[in-house]
PDB file of all heavy atoms in Angstrom:
ATOM      1  N   LYS A1052     100.713 120.067  65.695  1.00  0.00           N
ATOM      2  CA  LYS A1052     100.150 121.297  66.253  1.00  0.00           C
ATOM      3  C   LYS A1052      98.620 121.241  66.239  1.00  0.00           C
ATOM      4  O   LYS A1052      97.971 121.665  67.198  1.00  0.00           O
ATOM      5  CB  LYS A1052     100.648 122.506  65.467  1.00  0.00           C
ATOM      6  CG  LYS A1052     100.184 123.817  66.040  1.00  0.00           C
ATOM      7  CD  LYS A1052     100.763 125.015  65.305  1.00  0.00           C
ATOM      8  CE  LYS A1052     100.305 126.309  65.944  1.00  0.00           C
ATOM      9  NZ  LYS A1052     100.862 127.481  65.283  1.00  0.00           N
ATOM     10  N   SER A1053      98.038 120.708  65.193  1.00  0.00           N
ATOM     11  CA  SER A1053      96.577 120.647  65.118  1.00  0.00           C
ATOM     12  C   SER A1053      95.991 119.719  66.191  1.00  0.00           C
ATOM     13  O   SER A1053      94.933 120.004  66.766  1.00  0.00           O
ATOM     14  CB  SER A1053      96.108 120.224  63.730  1.00  0.00           C
ATOM     15  OG  SER A1053      96.594 118.952  63.411  1.00  0.00           O
ATOM     16  N   GLU A1054      96.673 118.622  66.480  1.00  0.00           N
ATOM     17  CA  GLU A1054      96.231 117.729  67.560  1.00  0.00           C
ATOM     18  C   GLU A1054      96.293 118.467  68.895  1.00  0.00           C
ATOM     19  O   GLU A1054      95.365 118.394  69.713  1.00  0.00           O
ATOM     20  CB  GLU A1054      97.111 116.476  67.607  1.00  0.00           C
ATOM     21  CG  GLU A1054      96.720 115.510  68.715  1.00  0.00           C
ATOM     22  CD  GLU A1054      97.698 114.354  68.875  1.00  0.00           C
ATOM     23  OE1 GLU A1054      98.824 114.410  68.331  1.00  0.00           O
ATOM     24  OE2 GLU A1054      97.316 113.383  69.566  1.00  0.00           O
ATOM     25  N   CYS A1055      97.363 119.200  69.115  1.00  0.00           N
ATOM     26  CA  CYS A1055      97.534 119.972  70.347  1.00  0.00           C
ATOM     27  C   CYS A1055      96.417 121.016  70.488  1.00  0.00           C
ATOM     28  O   CYS A1055      95.818 121.158  71.560  1.00  0.00           O
ATOM     29  CB  CYS A1055      98.905 120.651  70.341  1.00  0.00           C
ATOM     30  SG  CYS A1055      99.239 121.674  71.778  1.00  0.00           S
ATOM     31  N   GLU A1056      96.122 121.729  69.398  1.00  0.00           N
ATOM     32  CA  GLU A1056      95.090 122.758  69.440  1.00  0.00           C
ATOM     33  C   GLU A1056      93.704 122.164  69.713  1.00  0.00           C
ATOM     34  O   GLU A1056      92.891 122.751  70.424  1.00  0.00           O
ATOM     35  CB  GLU A1056      95.091 123.565  68.146  1.00  0.00           C
ATOM     36  CG  GLU A1056      96.301 124.473  68.041  1.00  0.00           C
ATOM     37  CD  GLU A1056      96.439 125.129  66.682  1.00  0.00           C
ATOM     38  OE1 GLU A1056      95.810 124.669  65.696  1.00  0.00           O
ATOM     39  OE2 GLU A1056      97.194 126.118  66.606  1.00  0.00           O
ATOM     40  N   GLY A1057      93.445 120.975  69.166  1.00  0.00           N
ATOM     41  CA  GLY A1057      92.176 120.296  69.430  1.00  0.00           C
ATOM     42  C   GLY A1057      92.024 119.932  70.897  1.00  0.00           C
ATOM     43  O   GLY A1057      90.968 120.136  71.500  1.00  0.00           O
ATOM     44  N   TRP A1058      93.098 119.388  71.482  1.00  0.00           N
ATOM     45  CA  TRP A1058      93.055 119.023  72.894  1.00  0.00           C
ATOM     46  C   TRP A1058      92.979 120.260  73.791  1.00  0.00           C
ATOM     47  O   TRP A1058      92.306 120.245  74.811  1.00  0.00           O
ATOM     48  CB  TRP A1058      94.267 118.172  73.274  1.00  0.00           C
ATOM     49  CG  TRP A1058      94.071 116.745  72.903  1.00  0.00           C
ATOM     50  CD1 TRP A1058      94.580 116.090  71.819  1.00  0.00           C
ATOM     51  CD2 TRP A1058      93.278 115.787  73.604  1.00  0.00           C
ATOM     52  NE1 TRP A1058      94.156 114.792  71.805  1.00  0.00           N
ATOM     53  CE2 TRP A1058      93.360 114.571  72.891  1.00  0.00           C
ATOM     54  CE3 TRP A1058      92.521 115.834  74.760  1.00  0.00           C
ATOM     55  CZ2 TRP A1058      92.687 113.427  73.301  1.00  0.00           C
ATOM     56  CZ3 TRP A1058      91.847 114.691  75.169  1.00  0.00           C
ATOM     57  CH2 TRP A1058      91.939 113.506  74.444  1.00  0.00           C
ATOM     58  N   ARG A1059      93.658 121.332  73.388  1.00  0.00           N
ATOM     59  CA  ARG A1059      93.585 122.562  74.182  1.00  0.00           C
ATOM     60  C   ARG A1059      92.157 123.099  74.198  1.00  0.00           C
ATOM     61  O   ARG A1059      91.624 123.453  75.244  1.00  0.00           O
ATOM     62  CB  ARG A1059      94.538 123.618  73.641  1.00  0.00           C
ATOM     63  CG  ARG A1059      94.565 124.870  74.534  1.00  0.00           C
ATOM     64  CD  ARG A1059      95.344 125.989  73.937  1.00  0.00           C
ATOM     65  NE  ARG A1059      94.574 126.498  72.801  1.00  0.00           N
ATOM     66  CZ  ARG A1059      95.022 127.349  71.920  1.00  0.00           C
ATOM     67  NH1 ARG A1059      96.249 127.794  71.986  1.00  0.00           N
ATOM     68  NH2 ARG A1059      94.271 127.766  70.940  1.00  0.00           N
ATOM     69  N   SER A1060      91.523 123.124  73.040  1.00  0.00           N
ATOM     70  CA  SER A1060      90.149 123.605  72.941  1.00  0.00           C
ATOM     71  C   SER A1060      89.200 122.781  73.813  1.00  0.00           C
ATOM     72  O   SER A1060      88.393 123.323  74.560  1.00  0.00           O
ATOM     73  CB  SER A1060      89.696 123.580  71.483  1.00  0.00           C
ATOM     74  OG  SER A1060      88.375 124.003  71.377  1.00  0.00           O
ATOM     75  N   SER A1061      89.307 121.467  73.714  1.00  0.00           N
ATOM     76  CA  SER A1061      88.409 120.608  74.510  1.00  0.00           C
ATOM     77  C   SER A1061      88.712 120.712  75.999  1.00  0.00           C
ATOM     78  O   SER A1061      87.798 120.662  76.833  1.00  0.00           O
ATOM     79  CB  SER A1061      88.478 119.159  74.039  1.00  0.00           C
ATOM     80  OG  SER A1061      89.749 118.613  74.247  1.00  0.00           O
ATOM     81  N   THR A1062      89.981 120.895  76.357  1.00  0.00           N
ATOM     82  CA  THR A1062      90.353 121.060  77.768  1.00  0.00           C
ATOM     83  C   THR A1062      89.766 122.343  78.337  1.00  0.00           C
ATOM     84  O   THR A1062      89.201 122.348  79.438  1.00  0.00           O
ATOM     85  CB  THR A1062      91.888 121.055  77.934  1.00  0.00           C
ATOM     86  OG1 THR A1062      92.400 119.801  77.473  1.00  0.00           O
ATOM     87  CG2 THR A1062      92.294 121.266  79.374  1.00  0.00           C
ATOM     88  N   LEU A1063      89.887 123.446  77.592  1.00  0.00           N
ATOM     89  CA  LEU A1063      89.322 124.717  78.050  1.00  0.00           C
ATOM     90  C   LEU A1063      87.805 124.613  78.189  1.00  0.00           C
ATOM     91  O   LEU A1063      87.229 125.084  79.185  1.00  0.00           O
ATOM     92  CB  LEU A1063      89.708 125.843  77.102  1.00  0.00           C
ATOM     93  CG  LEU A1063      91.202 126.189  77.037  1.00  0.00           C
ATOM     94  CD1 LEU A1063      91.459 127.227  75.944  1.00  0.00           C
ATOM     95  CD2 LEU A1063      91.717 126.678  78.370  1.00  0.00           C
ATOM     96  N   ASN A1064      87.147 123.974  77.224  1.00  0.00           N
ATOM     97  CA  ASN A1064      85.693 123.797  77.294  1.00  0.00           C
ATOM     98  C   ASN A1064      85.289 122.944  78.492  1.00  0.00           C
ATOM     99  O   ASN A1064      84.310 123.243  79.168  1.00  0.00           O
ATOM    100  CB  ASN A1064      85.155 123.177  76.002  1.00  0.00           C
ATOM    101  CG  ASN A1064      85.224 124.141  74.840  1.00  0.00           C
ATOM    102  OD1 ASN A1064      85.250 125.362  75.024  1.00  0.00           O
ATOM    103  ND2 ASN A1064      85.262 123.607  73.628  1.00  0.00           N
ATOM    104  N   ARG A1065      86.045 121.876  78.746  1.00  0.00           N
ATOM    105  CA  ARG A1065      85.746 120.998  79.887  1.00  0.00           C
ATOM    106  C   ARG A1065      85.879 121.740  81.203  1.00  0.00           C
ATOM    107  O   ARG A1065      85.023 121.641  82.088  1.00  0.00           O
ATOM    108  CB  ARG A1065      86.677 119.783  79.883  1.00  0.00           C
ATOM    109  CG  ARG A1065      86.515 118.866  81.089  1.00  0.00           C
ATOM    110  CD  ARG A1065      87.519 117.708  81.067  1.00  0.00           C
ATOM    111  NE  ARG A1065      88.899 118.107  80.879  1.00  0.00           N
ATOM    112  CZ  ARG A1065      89.705 118.532  81.866  1.00  0.00           C
ATOM    113  NH1 ARG A1065      89.264 118.628  83.102  1.00  0.00           N
ATOM    114  NH2 ARG A1065      90.957 118.836  81.608  1.00  0.00           N
ATOM    115  N   LEU A1066      86.966 122.514  81.353  1.00  0.00           N
ATOM    116  CA  LEU A1066      87.179 123.252  82.594  1.00  0.00           C
ATOM    117  C   LEU A1066      86.067 124.271  82.824  1.00  0.00           C
ATOM    118  O   LEU A1066      85.537 124.391  83.932  1.00  0.00           O
ATOM    119  CB  LEU A1066      88.540 123.953  82.579  1.00  0.00           C
ATOM    120  CG  LEU A1066      89.756 123.032  82.687  1.00  0.00           C
ATOM    121  CD1 LEU A1066      91.035 123.808  82.429  1.00  0.00           C
ATOM    122  CD2 LEU A1066      89.792 122.379  84.066  1.00  0.00           C
ATOM    123  N   ARG A1067      85.706 125.004  81.788  1.00  0.00           N
ATOM    124  CA  ARG A1067      84.646 126.010  81.918  1.00  0.00           C
ATOM    125  C   ARG A1067      83.295 125.357  82.194  1.00  0.00           C
ATOM    126  O   ARG A1067      82.496 125.874  82.969  1.00  0.00           O
ATOM    127  CB  ARG A1067      84.597 126.869  80.663  1.00  0.00           C
ATOM    128  CG  ARG A1067      85.810 127.775  80.549  1.00  0.00           C
ATOM    129  CD  ARG A1067      85.807 128.585  79.266  1.00  0.00           C
ATOM    130  NE  ARG A1067      86.984 129.454  79.201  1.00  0.00           N
ATOM    131  CZ  ARG A1067      87.751 129.596  78.141  1.00  0.00           C
ATOM    132  NH1 ARG A1067      87.462 128.950  77.020  1.00  0.00           N
ATOM    133  NH2 ARG A1067      88.796 130.394  78.169  1.00  0.00           N
ATOM    134  N   ALA A1068      83.035 124.209  81.591  1.00  0.00           N
ATOM    135  CA  ALA A1068      81.762 123.513  81.790  1.00  0.00           C
ATOM    136  C   ALA A1068      81.622 122.973  83.211  1.00  0.00           C
ATOM    137  O   ALA A1068      80.507 122.804  83.699  1.00  0.00           O
ATOM    138  CB  ALA A1068      81.627 122.371  80.784  1.00  0.00           C
ATOM    139  N   THR A1069      82.745 122.715  83.863  1.00  0.00           N
ATOM    140  CA  THR A1069      82.699 122.201  85.235  1.00  0.00           C
ATOM    141  C   THR A1069      82.822 123.321  86.270  1.00  0.00           C
ATOM    142  O   THR A1069      83.049 123.064  87.442  1.00  0.00           O
ATOM    143  CB  THR A1069      83.809 121.156  85.480  1.00  0.00           C
ATOM    144  OG1 THR A1069      85.085 121.733  85.181  1.00  0.00           O
ATOM    145  CG2 THR A1069      83.591 119.924  84.627  1.00  0.00           C
ATOM    146  N   GLY A1070      82.678 124.572  85.817  1.00  0.00           N
ATOM    147  CA  GLY A1070      82.644 125.693  86.755  1.00  0.00           C
ATOM    148  C   GLY A1070      83.995 126.283  87.107  1.00  0.00           C
ATOM    149  O   GLY A1070      84.083 127.139  87.981  1.00  0.00           O
ATOM    150  N   ARG A1071      85.031 125.848  86.462  1.00  0.00           N
ATOM    151  CA  ARG A1071      86.360 126.412  86.722  1.00  0.00           C
ATOM    152  C   ARG A1071      86.515 127.733  85.987  1.00  0.00           C
ATOM    153  O   ARG A1071      85.948 127.918  84.915  1.00  0.00           O
ATOM    154  CB  ARG A1071      87.468 125.467  86.267  1.00  0.00           C
ATOM    155  CG  ARG A1071      87.399 124.096  86.864  1.00  0.00           C
ATOM    156  CD  ARG A1071      87.762 124.128  88.303  1.00  0.00           C
ATOM    157  NE  ARG A1071      87.891 122.764  88.791  1.00  0.00           N
ATOM    158  CZ  ARG A1071      87.833 122.463  90.054  1.00  0.00           C
ATOM    159  NH1 ARG A1071      87.673 123.398  90.953  1.00  0.00           N
ATOM    160  NH2 ARG A1071      87.950 121.220  90.439  1.00  0.00           N
ATOM    161  N   GLU A1072      87.291 128.624  86.560  1.00  0.00           N
ATOM    162  CA  GLU A1072      87.599 129.891  85.899  1.00  0.00           C
ATOM    163  C   GLU A1072      89.007 129.799  85.332  1.00  0.00           C
ATOM    164  O   GLU A1072      89.981 129.733  86.077  1.00  0.00           O
ATOM    165  CB  GLU A1072      87.515 131.045  86.896  1.00  0.00           C
ATOM    166  CG  GLU A1072      87.828 132.383  86.284  1.00  0.00           C
ATOM    167  CD  GLU A1072      87.827 133.506  87.296  1.00  0.00           C
ATOM    168  OE1 GLU A1072      87.234 133.352  88.369  1.00  0.00           O
ATOM    169  OE2 GLU A1072      88.464 134.538  87.004  1.00  0.00           O
ATOM    170  N   VAL A1073      89.111 129.767  84.029  1.00  0.00           N
ATOM    171  CA  VAL A1073      90.418 129.707  83.367  1.00  0.00           C
ATOM    172  C   VAL A1073      91.030 131.096  83.452  1.00  0.00           C
ATOM    173  O   VAL A1073      90.462 132.065  82.976  1.00  0.00           O
ATOM    174  CB  VAL A1073      90.283 129.247  81.903  1.00  0.00           C
ATOM    175  CG1 VAL A1073      91.631 129.286  81.207  1.00  0.00           C
ATOM    176  CG2 VAL A1073      89.688 127.850  81.839  1.00  0.00           C
ATOM    177  N   THR A1074      92.197 131.190  84.093  1.00  0.00           N
ATOM    178  CA  THR A1074      92.843 132.489  84.275  1.00  0.00           C
ATOM    179  C   THR A1074      93.885 132.775  83.202  1.00  0.00           C
ATOM    180  O   THR A1074      94.152 133.934  82.914  1.00  0.00           O
ATOM    181  CB  THR A1074      93.503 132.589  85.664  1.00  0.00           C
ATOM    182  OG1 THR A1074      94.405 131.496  85.838  1.00  0.00           O
ATOM    183  CG2 THR A1074      92.451 132.529  86.768  1.00  0.00           C
ATOM    184  N   ALA A1075      94.465 131.734  82.614  1.00  0.00           N
ATOM    185  CA  ALA A1075      95.463 131.922  81.549  1.00  0.00           C
ATOM    186  C   ALA A1075      95.721 130.587  80.862  1.00  0.00           C
ATOM    187  O   ALA A1075      95.457 129.526  81.423  1.00  0.00           O
ATOM    188  CB  ALA A1075      96.760 132.458  82.127  1.00  0.00           C
ATOM    189  N   TYR A1076      96.245 130.679  79.650  1.00  0.00           N
ATOM    190  CA  TYR A1076      96.699 129.477  78.946  1.00  0.00           C
ATOM    191  C   TYR A1076      97.702 129.901  77.885  1.00  0.00           C
ATOM    192  O   TYR A1076      97.723 131.044  77.454  1.00  0.00           O
ATOM    193  CB  TYR A1076      95.535 128.686  78.324  1.00  0.00           C
ATOM    194  CG  TYR A1076      94.708 129.453  77.325  1.00  0.00           C
ATOM    195  CD1 TYR A1076      95.034 129.441  75.976  1.00  0.00           C
ATOM    196  CD2 TYR A1076      93.607 130.179  77.733  1.00  0.00           C
ATOM    197  CE1 TYR A1076      94.280 130.130  75.058  1.00  0.00           C
ATOM    198  CE2 TYR A1076      92.838 130.873  76.822  1.00  0.00           C
ATOM    199  CZ  TYR A1076      93.178 130.857  75.483  1.00  0.00           C
ATOM    200  OH  TYR A1076      92.418 131.543  74.578  1.00  0.00           O
ATOM    201  N   THR A1077      98.554 128.958  77.511  1.00  0.00           N
ATOM    202  CA  THR A1077      99.550 129.247  76.486  1.00  0.00           C
ATOM    203  C   THR A1077      99.071 128.685  75.161  1.00  0.00           C
ATOM    204  O   THR A1077      98.307 127.718  75.126  1.00  0.00           O
ATOM    205  CB  THR A1077     100.917 128.608  76.824  1.00  0.00           C
ATOM    206  OG1 THR A1077     100.766 127.193  76.864  1.00  0.00           O
ATOM    207  CG2 THR A1077     101.459 129.110  78.149  1.00  0.00           C
ATOM    208  N   PRO A1078      99.539 129.259  74.065  1.00  0.00           N
ATOM    209  CA  PRO A1078      99.238 128.644  72.771  1.00  0.00           C
ATOM    210  C   PRO A1078     100.049 127.350  72.644  1.00  0.00           C
ATOM    211  O   PRO A1078     101.026 127.137  73.372  1.00  0.00           O
ATOM    212  CB  PRO A1078      99.705 129.695  71.774  1.00  0.00           C
ATOM    213  CG  PRO A1078     100.695 130.522  72.499  1.00  0.00           C
ATOM    214  CD  PRO A1078     100.298 130.490  73.947  1.00  0.00           C
ATOM    215  N   CYS A1079      99.644 126.498  71.747  1.00  0.00           N
ATOM    216  CA  CYS A1079     100.416 125.282  71.501  1.00  0.00           C
ATOM    217  C   CYS A1079     101.774 125.676  70.922  1.00  0.00           C
ATOM    218  O   CYS A1079     101.860 126.509  70.024  1.00  0.00           O
ATOM    219  CB  CYS A1079      99.671 124.383  70.520  1.00  0.00           C
ATOM    220  SG  CYS A1079      98.201 123.641  71.229  1.00  0.00           S
ATOM    221  N   HIS A1080     102.815 125.102  71.482  1.00  0.00           N
ATOM    222  CA  HIS A1080     104.161 125.407  71.003  1.00  0.00           C
ATOM    223  C   HIS A1080     105.019 124.153  71.083  1.00  0.00           C
ATOM    224  O   HIS A1080     104.753 123.251  71.870  1.00  0.00           O
ATOM    225  CB  HIS A1080     104.784 126.556  71.811  1.00  0.00           C
ATOM    226  CG  HIS A1080     104.829 126.303  73.285  1.00  0.00           C
ATOM    227  ND1 HIS A1080     103.727 126.435  74.102  1.00  0.00           N
ATOM    228  CD2 HIS A1080     105.857 125.938  74.088  1.00  0.00           C
ATOM    229  CE1 HIS A1080     104.061 126.154  75.352  1.00  0.00           C
ATOM    230  NE2 HIS A1080     105.349 125.842  75.376  1.00  0.00           N
ATOM    231  N   TYR A1081     106.044 124.103  70.235  1.00  0.00           N
ATOM    232  CA  TYR A1081     106.918 122.933  70.158  1.00  0.00           C
ATOM    233  C   TYR A1081     108.054 123.087  71.156  1.00  0.00           C
ATOM    234  O   TYR A1081     108.645 124.146  71.289  1.00  0.00           O
ATOM    235  CB  TYR A1081     107.485 122.773  68.745  1.00  0.00           C
ATOM    236  CG  TYR A1081     108.140 121.436  68.537  1.00  0.00           C
ATOM    237  CD1 TYR A1081     107.372 120.301  68.329  1.00  0.00           C
ATOM    238  CD2 TYR A1081     109.525 121.311  68.567  1.00  0.00           C
ATOM    239  CE1 TYR A1081     107.952 119.057  68.142  1.00  0.00           C
ATOM    240  CE2 TYR A1081     110.118 120.066  68.379  1.00  0.00           C
ATOM    241  CZ  TYR A1081     109.334 118.952  68.174  1.00  0.00           C
ATOM    242  OH  TYR A1081     109.914 117.724  67.996  1.00  0.00           O
ATOM    243  N   ASN A1082     108.324 121.993  71.889  1.00  0.00           N
ATOM    244  CA  ASN A1082     109.350 122.043  72.924  1.00  0.00           C
ATOM    245  C   ASN A1082     110.187 120.767  72.901  1.00  0.00           C
ATOM    246  O   ASN A1082     110.247 120.041  73.893  1.00  0.00           O
ATOM    247  CB  ASN A1082     108.695 122.262  74.289  1.00  0.00           C
ATOM    248  CG  ASN A1082     109.708 122.534  75.375  1.00  0.00           C
ATOM    249  OD1 ASN A1082     110.884 122.734  75.107  1.00  0.00           O
ATOM    250  ND2 ASN A1082     109.263 122.521  76.620  1.00  0.00           N
ATOM    251  N   GLY A1083     110.813 120.472  71.796  1.00  0.00           N
ATOM    252  CA  GLY A1083     111.757 119.354  71.695  1.00  0.00           C
ATOM    253  C   GLY A1083     111.242 118.041  72.243  1.00  0.00           C
ATOM    254  O   GLY A1083     110.382 117.402  71.662  1.00  0.00           O
ATOM    255  N   ALA A1084     111.771 117.630  73.380  1.00  0.00           N
ATOM    256  CA  ALA A1084     111.463 116.323  73.961  1.00  0.00           C
ATOM    257  C   ALA A1084     109.988 116.177  74.334  1.00  0.00           C
ATOM    258  O   ALA A1084     109.451 115.070  74.313  1.00  0.00           O
ATOM    259  CB  ALA A1084     112.337 116.087  75.191  1.00  0.00           C
ATOM    260  N   GLU A1085     109.332 117.278  74.662  1.00  0.00           N
ATOM    261  CA  GLU A1085     107.921 117.209  75.038  1.00  0.00           C
ATOM    262  C   GLU A1085     106.992 117.368  73.834  1.00  0.00           C
ATOM    263  O   GLU A1085     105.779 117.407  73.989  1.00  0.00           O
ATOM    264  CB  GLU A1085     107.605 118.270  76.091  1.00  0.00           C
ATOM    265  CG  GLU A1085     108.322 118.029  77.409  1.00  0.00           C
ATOM    266  CD  GLU A1085     108.013 119.094  78.431  1.00  0.00           C
ATOM    267  OE1 GLU A1085     107.695 120.239  78.046  1.00  0.00           O
ATOM    268  OE2 GLU A1085     108.078 118.775  79.618  1.00  0.00           O
ATOM    269  N   LYS A1086     107.560 117.491  72.651  1.00  0.00           N
ATOM    270  CA  LYS A1086     106.810 117.690  71.406  1.00  0.00           C
ATOM    271  C   LYS A1086     105.920 118.919  71.526  1.00  0.00           C
ATOM    272  O   LYS A1086     106.308 119.920  72.098  1.00  0.00           O
ATOM    273  CB  LYS A1086     106.042 116.431  71.038  1.00  0.00           C
ATOM    274  CG  LYS A1086     106.951 115.239  70.754  1.00  0.00           C
ATOM    275  CD  LYS A1086     106.141 114.084  70.231  1.00  0.00           C
ATOM    276  CE  LYS A1086     107.071 112.913  69.903  1.00  0.00           C
ATOM    277  NZ  LYS A1086     106.325 111.789  69.378  1.00  0.00           N
ATOM    278  N   TRP A1087     104.692 118.863  70.975  1.00  0.00           N
ATOM    279  CA  TRP A1087     103.774 119.987  71.067  1.00  0.00           C
ATOM    280  C   TRP A1087     103.116 119.985  72.440  1.00  0.00           C
ATOM    281  O   TRP A1087     102.724 118.936  72.947  1.00  0.00           O
ATOM    282  CB  TRP A1087     102.722 119.904  69.966  1.00  0.00           C
ATOM    283  CG  TRP A1087     103.297 120.200  68.625  1.00  0.00           C
ATOM    284  CD1 TRP A1087     103.760 119.307  67.712  1.00  0.00           C
ATOM    285  CD2 TRP A1087     103.513 121.485  68.062  1.00  0.00           C
ATOM    286  NE1 TRP A1087     104.251 119.949  66.606  1.00  0.00           N
ATOM    287  CE2 TRP A1087     104.106 121.303  66.797  1.00  0.00           C
ATOM    288  CE3 TRP A1087     103.268 122.793  68.495  1.00  0.00           C
ATOM    289  CZ2 TRP A1087     104.449 122.364  65.969  1.00  0.00           C
ATOM    290  CZ3 TRP A1087     103.601 123.846  67.663  1.00  0.00           C
ATOM    291  CH2 TRP A1087     104.183 123.635  66.420  1.00  0.00           C
ATOM    292  N   LYS A1088     103.011 121.168  73.041  1.00  0.00           N
ATOM    293  CA  LYS A1088     102.467 121.241  74.393  1.00  0.00           C
ATOM    294  C   LYS A1088     101.730 122.550  74.609  1.00  0.00           C
ATOM    295  O   LYS A1088     101.871 123.497  73.832  1.00  0.00           O
ATOM    296  CB  LYS A1088     103.580 121.111  75.428  1.00  0.00           C
ATOM    297  CG  LYS A1088     104.580 122.273  75.440  1.00  0.00           C
ATOM    298  CD  LYS A1088     105.646 122.124  76.496  1.00  0.00           C
ATOM    299  CE  LYS A1088     105.193 122.739  77.769  1.00  0.00           C
ATOM    300  NZ  LYS A1088     106.164 122.762  78.837  1.00  0.00           N
ATOM    301  N   PHE A1089     100.942 122.593  75.684  1.00  0.00           N
ATOM    302  CA  PHE A1089     100.316 123.829  76.144  1.00  0.00           C
ATOM    303  C   PHE A1089     100.127 123.747  77.652  1.00  0.00           C
ATOM    304  O   PHE A1089     100.226 122.676  78.246  1.00  0.00           O
ATOM    305  CB  PHE A1089      98.979 124.104  75.421  1.00  0.00           C
ATOM    306  CG  PHE A1089      97.890 123.108  75.729  1.00  0.00           C
ATOM    307  CD1 PHE A1089      96.956 123.367  76.716  1.00  0.00           C
ATOM    308  CD2 PHE A1089      97.772 121.926  75.012  1.00  0.00           C
ATOM    309  CE1 PHE A1089      95.945 122.466  76.980  1.00  0.00           C
ATOM    310  CE2 PHE A1089      96.767 121.023  75.273  1.00  0.00           C
ATOM    311  CZ  PHE A1089      95.839 121.293  76.271  1.00  0.00           C
ATOM    312  N   GLN A1090      99.875 124.872  78.273  1.00  0.00           N
ATOM    313  CA  GLN A1090      99.648 124.938  79.714  1.00  0.00           C
ATOM    314  C   GLN A1090      98.365 125.710  79.978  1.00  0.00           C
ATOM    315  O   GLN A1090      98.006 126.614  79.228  1.00  0.00           O
ATOM    316  CB  GLN A1090     100.806 125.643  80.418  1.00  0.00           C
ATOM    317  CG  GLN A1090     102.120 124.905  80.322  1.00  0.00           C
ATOM    318  CD  GLN A1090     103.267 125.691  80.913  1.00  0.00           C
ATOM    319  OE1 GLN A1090     103.407 126.871  80.615  1.00  0.00           O
ATOM    320  NE2 GLN A1090     104.054 125.068  81.748  1.00  0.00           N
ATOM    321  N   VAL A1091      97.696 125.353  81.063  1.00  0.00           N
ATOM    322  CA  VAL A1091      96.457 126.014  81.457  1.00  0.00           C
ATOM    323  C   VAL A1091      96.528 126.332  82.947  1.00  0.00           C
ATOM    324  O   VAL A1091      96.953 125.498  83.746  1.00  0.00           O
ATOM    325  CB  VAL A1091      95.233 125.113  81.188  1.00  0.00           C
ATOM    326  CG1 VAL A1091      93.947 125.773  81.661  1.00  0.00           C
ATOM    327  CG2 VAL A1091      95.135 124.748  79.734  1.00  0.00           C
TER     328      VAL A1091
END
């Protein structure tokens, strides 16, 4: 979960830094075969 949260944070920062408007995102959650994941 901590690895997922780190990547989510850096992904959101990257998108905002490149002028994208983040409209929504999910918290990191466990999903069996996909392990820990998030969506933006």
Side-chain angles (χ1 to χ4, degrees):
K1052 184 176 182 179
S1053 61
E1054 179 187 14
C1055 178
E1056 289 171 343
W1058 278 101
R1059 185 188 71 190
S1060 178
S1061 64
T1062 299
L1063 294 174
N1064 290 336
R1065 176 183 51 83
L1066 289 171
R1067 290 177 179 134
T1069 56
R1071 304 289 189 200
E1072 180 184 340
V1073 176
T1074 55
Y1076 59 90
T1077 62
C1079 289
H1080 56 282
Y1081 192 77
N1082 189 9
E1085 295 179 333
K1086 297 187 178 181
W1087 289 95
K1088 66 179 271 185
F1089 66 95
Q1090 295 174 313
V1091 177

